[in-house]
Structure formats: structure tokens, C-alpha cells
Amino acid sequence: VDGSIPDYQVSAWLMAAYLNGLSDRETLALTLAMRDSGQTVDWDGYTGLRLDKHSTGGVGDKVTLVVIPILAAAGVSILKMSGRGLGHTGGTIDKLESIPGFRTDITVSEAVKQVGKIGAAIVGQTAALVPADKKLYALRDVTATIASIPLIASSIMSKKLAGNPNAVLLDVKVGDGAFMKDLNVARQLAKQMVLIGTGAGVTTEAALTSMDQPLGRAIGNSLEVIEACDLLTGYGEPDPIFYDLCIRLSARALSMAGIAQSEENSISVVKALIANGAGANKLEEIIFAQKGDPKVVRNTDLFPKSSFVVHVVSNEEGYVKSIQTKQLGMLAMRLGAGRETANAPIDPAVGIVLFKKVGDKVKTGEKIGELHLNSMLGSDTHVRELLSSYEISTTKPKKSLFLFEILH
């Protein structure tokens, strides 16, 4: 970080670590050194339980927007530092910035005060936290050393530990739309991160969850926040897998915090916080505290809207056998919902809404999705891309895509 070690030496070390691996002890030592390379969050005598939640990312993953308000409503303190999207995966910060006025650039000290006042804050990662990670990642990118479990785990966990939480819940995505395509490799990463967290004295659990189809129905920034708001306010029928995952992750976090004593009790508490409006109320509080317009939670017409909505209908009959999730993520990116380069602009209004998911019956001519566009240029190609991401079969698939495996 101070420039005393030249890049070529660090690159040589990264390649050695990539080829030979790191022991658990070495990985923990690397993570703690990275954590201590910059500022860490000072809770200044705050004695309450502080939980952090992290997702490894995917397509349509707006779980944070539901889970954080629920946990804060239950009495858990949460300072969530989130990132921006890149490539086919979305970023929580981009989603929140589709809320009119919402500020994600509040300082760490402001965020800590907000957590003390209302229980939660969701902010962008600051350059002062874990500067070693930024430098190492830039070198990993150009030396083909990205795909290393110890290096990935230390990168993620150094940023989590810099927040000085008491407990961390990790949501490790696996499947076509995730960075980890293989269940066994995802399990290795999850285990490594749990070992790092517990080795650092932090209660840590990981959930392995599926990204073999988009999570929920919406892909795109304001569209995803609307879907999260609708779940919390009870508007419409939520996507069942998205709903179940939000419930289960929230329930696990409550168990980790000691607020609920059993899984059954945790799930009941979470469902009650949605049913009685406490989760929606807390989201309004968070938005108001961060200078956004809280009225969006119950009036989603206040979100940015696209100029055009193109209905996409099926040209086949049968059952949805699979959805090419990464392909849809890349399509959403090209529409303007994501970015190919770190500094590319984001269009908050554009994206995709899916009406058919894996296992659903589809008739010829039935609507399977919508494209939300601000330009009709290339829209015919976009329609074909959406259709080609669906595999339709004459028989209903037997396997459920819901995955929830907890690693302690």
C-alpha cells in the first residue's frame, strides 16, 4: 500500500499463491493484514450486536433491500457496505441510487451514528477501507490470478472484517448467473470464508444459494427496488423463491443474533415483521435518513420509469426447463442497467421483468417477459436474446432450483 514493494514482486507472489494455494493460517494472516491496511470502523463504545450480510452476487439479487430492513426492525444493528455492479451482476449501491435523492456516499462515522439511531445504514465502500484489496485486485486482474479460493476469500472477508462486526452471514451464490458455477467450488469458498471469520473471532455462517435462474422477476435497478418494496408492503404475489430466500436468510441472521431461539421461531418472527408492516416502515426510515424520498416504498410510481415497455411472447408451448441467467444479466447490462467498465453510466429505469420462471407452464403467444427501454434501437435483437435465454421442454422439470445449505 505504501509503494515500497514493486508491482512485479507482488505479481510474482500472487502467482505463487495462485499455483500453490495458501494454508488456512496463511489465508487468515493475509486477510487480517489486508483488513489492517486502512481504516476500520470504530464503533466508539457501542455494545450492541453488529451483524453484516454479504452476497457474492448474481442476476436480480435484491435480497439486501429486504433483509436489512427486516433485521433492523427486529432489533439487529447492521452497517452494510455494498458495491456497484460490473458485467452481468448488479450492485446494491446502483439499485439504491435509483431512489430519488438517496445518498450512498455518507461517511463511515455518519453511518455508525445512523445505525445507533435507527439500526441500519447501507453505504458504498470507501477508499479508506482495505486499500490493499484494491491494489491486489488490480494486479490479479492482469496476471490471471482471479480464480483462487484463498485470494477471493481474503478479498471478501477483509472488507467484512474492516466493518468490525460481531457476526457475518454470507450468501454464496452458485450456478449459471454466479461467479461460482460449480457447487463443490462454491462450497470450498464458503468454508474458507467461514474459517477466516471464526479465526478472526467473528461468528460466521455461509448459505449456499442458487443462481441458476434470476432471483425474483426483475433485473434492473429501479425495477428491482420496486420488487423489494412490493414484497415488504405485501403488494401483489411475490416470486416464491425470492420470498423464501429473504425469509430464510433473515431467520438465520436472527438466530445468529440470539433474537430467536429456533429456526421455526425465527421464520415466524420474520413473517410477522413483513405482515405487520415493520419491515416496510424500517426501509422508509433508512431511505429518509439517507436523504431519499421514503414515499417510494408505498408509491412505486415515484421511481424512474423507462420510455418504452416491449412485451415478449413465447413462440413455443411447454414448460420452462432452464433459463440462461448470465445471458439475461448481460442483456440487462447492454440495455443500460449495468456497466462493462467501472466508470460507465447507469440508466436506473431500464431492465427486464420475467413472467415465467423454471417449472412454469408456457403457451404459444403467452407473455414471458418485458423489456423496459429508453431507446427502441436494437429492440428486435433484444427480444430475440430474451427468447433464446429460455429453454422450453414438453415435460415439467422435477428438480427445484431452491437451494439453501448452511455452513457453520
Side-chain angles (χ1 to χ4, degrees):
V1 170
D2 65 12
S4 59
I5 303 172
D7 284 354
Y8 61 81
Q9 289 279 21
V10 182
S11 298
W13 181 84
L14 285 169
M15 187 56 75
Y18 176 82
L19 292 172
N20 298 321
L22 298 174
S23 69
D24 292 340
R25 189 177 168 207
E26 287 170 329
T27 307
L28 176 60
L30 172 63
T31 307
L32 297 180
M34 290 167 67
R35 176 198 68 185
D36 297 335
S37 67
Q39 177 189 2
T40 57
V41 177
D42 180 6
W43 286 92
D44 194 25
Y46 185 92
T47 55
L49 182 128
R50 306 179 304 275
L51 187 135
D52 198 355
K53 174 255 172 200
H54 176 78
S55 167
T56 56
V59 179
D61 182 5
K62 72 285 291 181
V63 167
T64 289
L65 306 175
V66 174
V67 171
I68 302 304
I70 288 172
L71 296 181
V76 178
S77 294
I78 234 176
L79 170 53
K80 177 78 179 77
M81 284 182 276
S82 295
R84 297 189 181 279
L86 191 61
H88 73 280
T89 63
T92 299
I93 293 302
D94 297 322
K95 292 165 194 177
L96 287 169
E97 287 180 349
S98 71
I99 298 170
F102 193 96
R103 280 188 58 207
T104 59
D105 60 347
I106 62 174
T107 65
V108 170
S109 59
E110 286 174 318
V112 168
K113 284 177 189 168
Q114 182 176 313
V115 172
K117 197 179 290 184
I118 65 169
I122 311 174
V123 298
Q125 289 161 349
T126 72
L129 291 167
V130 199
D133 180 62
K134 192 171 183 181
K135 295 193 79 165
L136 285 171
Y137 196 91
L139 288 171
R140 285 168 59 203
D141 198 29
V142 294
T143 56
T145 54
I146 293 285
S148 158
I149 295 289
L151 296 179
I152 295 169
S154 60
S155 173
I156 292 170
M157 290 304 293
S158 61
K159 287 176 281 198
K160 294 293 102 185
L161 297 177
N164 276 325
N166 306 118
V168 174
L169 177 59
L170 302 157
D171 179 5
V172 180
K173 301 292 185 195
V174 57
D176 178 61
F179 289 112
M180 295 287 159
K181 314 291 183 195
D182 180 80
L183 181 58
N184 289 327
V185 176
R187 197 177 279 125
Q188 287 174 39
L189 174 63
K191 285 180 178 175
Q192 185 78 75
M193 291 194 292
V194 169
L195 280 172
I196 291 170
T198 52
V202 175
T203 302
T204 308
E205 290 188 8
L208 289 169
T209 68
S210 175
M211 190 41 74
D212 269 326
Q213 65 176 341
L215 190 52
R217 297 189 181 107
I219 309 167
N221 299 291
S222 66
L223 296 171
E224 291 188 41
V225 185
I226 289 168
E227 187 173 15
C229 291
D230 286 348
L231 189 154
L232 286 171
T233 58
Y235 181 79
E237 194 68 33
D239 176 84
I241 289 182
F242 173 48
Y243 177 80
D244 284 352
L245 183 57
C246 289
I247 298 293
R248 291 200 188 212
L249 284 172
S250 301
R252 263 326 300 165
L254 290 188
S255 297
M256 291 173 75
I259 287 174
Q261 302 310 312
S262 68
E263 185 180 359
E264 193 177 313
N265 179 232
S266 299
I267 289 171
S268 297
V269 169
V270 172
K271 287 183 175 178
L273 289 168
I274 294 173
N276 66 19
N281 293 343
K282 187 58 71 172
L283 180 57
E284 287 175 329
E285 279 187 68
I286 295 167
I287 293 170
F288 180 75
Q290 294 184 228
K291 312 301 181 192
D293 182 357
K295 294 193 290 294
V296 299
V297 175
R298 296 171 205 279
N299 181 6
T300 56
D301 287 337
L302 296 171
F303 279 95
K305 292 288 191 290
S306 65
S307 303
F308 308 99
V309 177
V310 177
H311 299 271
V312 181
V313 299
S314 177
N315 48 25
E316 298 178 78
E317 183 160 334
Y319 295 90
V320 180
K321 183 180 179 183
S322 67
I323 299 174
Q324 292 186 41
T325 309
K326 183 176 180 179
Q327 181 175 316
L328 283 180
M330 294 301 286
L331 172 57
M333 181 196 75
R334 285 192 292 276
L335 298 181
R339 51 172 71 82
E340 267 184 290
T341 59
N343 298 318
I346 287 282
D347 185 337
V350 299
I352 304 164
V353 177
L354 305 176
F355 291 93
K356 297 294 181 180
K357 302 293 288 293
V358 173
D360 289 346
K361 187 168 177 52
V362 183
K363 296 175 183 174
T364 304
E366 189 176 10
K367 185 163 78 165
I368 61 171
E370 286 176 351
L371 296 170
H372 290 244
L373 312 169
N374 276 327
S375 167
M376 290 298 286
L377 191 67
S379 60
D380 290 346
T381 303
H382 301 326
V383 168
R384 286 193 295 271
E385 281 186 83
L386 195 154
L387 284 171
S388 70
S389 70
Y390 274 80
E391 183 183 359
I392 309 295
S393 168
T394 53
T395 55
K396 187 171 183 175
K398 293 177 183 175
K399 185 184 173 189
S400 167
L401 285 190
F402 188 78
L403 169 68
F404 194 79
E405 178 185 327
I406 289 288
L407 300 171
H408 299 274

